[in-house]
Amino acid sequence: MKFLSVLFAAWVVKVSAHYTLPALIAGGVDTAQWLYVRQTNNWETNDPVTDVTIDDIRCYTSTESDTSSTATVTAGSTIGFTAPITLYHPGVLNVYMAQAPAGTDVADWDGSGEVWFRIYQITADTDGGETITFPSQNLAQVTFPIPAETPSGQYLVRIEHIALHVANVYGGAQFYLSCAQIEVTNGGNGTPGPLVAFPGAYTGNEPGILINIYYPIPANYTQPGPPLWTGAGGSSPPVGTTSTVTSTKASTTTTISTTSTKASTTTVSTTTTSSTGSSTGTTAAEYGQCGGQGWTGELLLSFFGSQAPLIKNAPDTGPTACAAPYTCHVLNAYYSQCY
Ligand SMILES: [Cu+2]
C-alpha cells in the first residue's frame, strides 16, 4: 500500500511538472493556445523531448494534427511565445525559423530538410567558474524580433527551451519546444543562414547539451546551435555563441589583496530571473536545490581526485531542507530539488 502511494505521488509530480509553449504573441497580442502554434504531443503531459535524433525534435507533432492557423507579421516586428507554466527549469533558449518552399502553404509543410536558421537566444551567464545563471529560467513569455531583412514569405518559427538540470548524462537534457506558423510581410532581401535540419542540428554531445551545470560550476557555456542570423546576406558574427560574463562585475576590495580571483566579489545581473528556485535561509524554496555533491560538501574524490584544485570552487554548503509543503527529491548525484 505504501508502495502504491509512492507510485501515485510520483505520477502526480510527473503530470504537474514540465511545461509547453503553446501561444504566439503577434502584433502585441497574446493569441490563444494552439491557434498559431502547432499542437504538440505533450499538450497534456508537458513532457519534454529528450532524443535529439527523432523527428519530434523538430516540432514535436508526430501524434497531433500538425497544423495551425498562420499569423501575419511584419518583418522587423516583435513576436514571441507564452508559457502557461513558467520555464522553471534552469536552461537556455533558442528560436529558429524556416521558410516554406515556394508554392507550398506552410500549413502543409513539415519543416524537414536543411532549412532552419537561428535568430534568437537566451544563453547562460558564466564568470569563469564561480557562478552560472540562466536568464531564461522562470520566464512566462519570450519575445524577439523577426529580423527586418527576412524575406517575405511563410515560415515556421520554432522555439526551444533546453532544460539542463539533469543534462549531466547523454539524453538528460530536456527540450521543450513548439512551432508557430507565420507569414512575414514587408520583408527584406537578406539571405538567412547558416541552415540546419531537425533532426540533425544537434548530436546530443554538444558541450551546451551534455553538461553538468552544478559541479564543478562551468567556467563558460557554449550555446548549442549554428551562429545567429540577425539580418543581411550572411550569418552575423557568432554573438554569444560562447558566453562569459556579460553582466557588471563589481570587484570589491578585500583584506586579501592578492591577484587571486577568489578575492573579488561578483555581482551577476538578475534582471529576468525570479527567485522561485532560490533558497531562503535554511530551507530551499519550491524548485530550489536541496542537495547534491558540492552542495552538501560531499565530494566523490575517487571521481574528481585528478581535479582536486577544483574543490575550492565548490559552493558553500546549502540548505538540505525544503520550505513547507515541499520535500527534497534526489534527481541525480549532483542535484536534489524541492517540489
Ligand atoms: Cu520538467
Side-chain angles (χ1 to χ4, degrees), residues 158-179:
R158 175 185 176 279
I159 188 169
E160 66 178 5
H161 193 239
I162 309 175
L164 299 171
H165 54 299
V166 287
N168 57 301
V169 294
Y170 183 87
Q174 300 179 346
F175 292 74
Y176 298 91
L177 64 99
S178 59
C179 295

Side-chain angles (χ1 to χ4, degrees), residues 17-19 46 48 88-89 163 165 174 176:
H18 310 313
Y19 37 90
N46 293 321
Y88 65 83
H89 288 310
H165 54 299
Q174 300 179 346
Y176 298 91

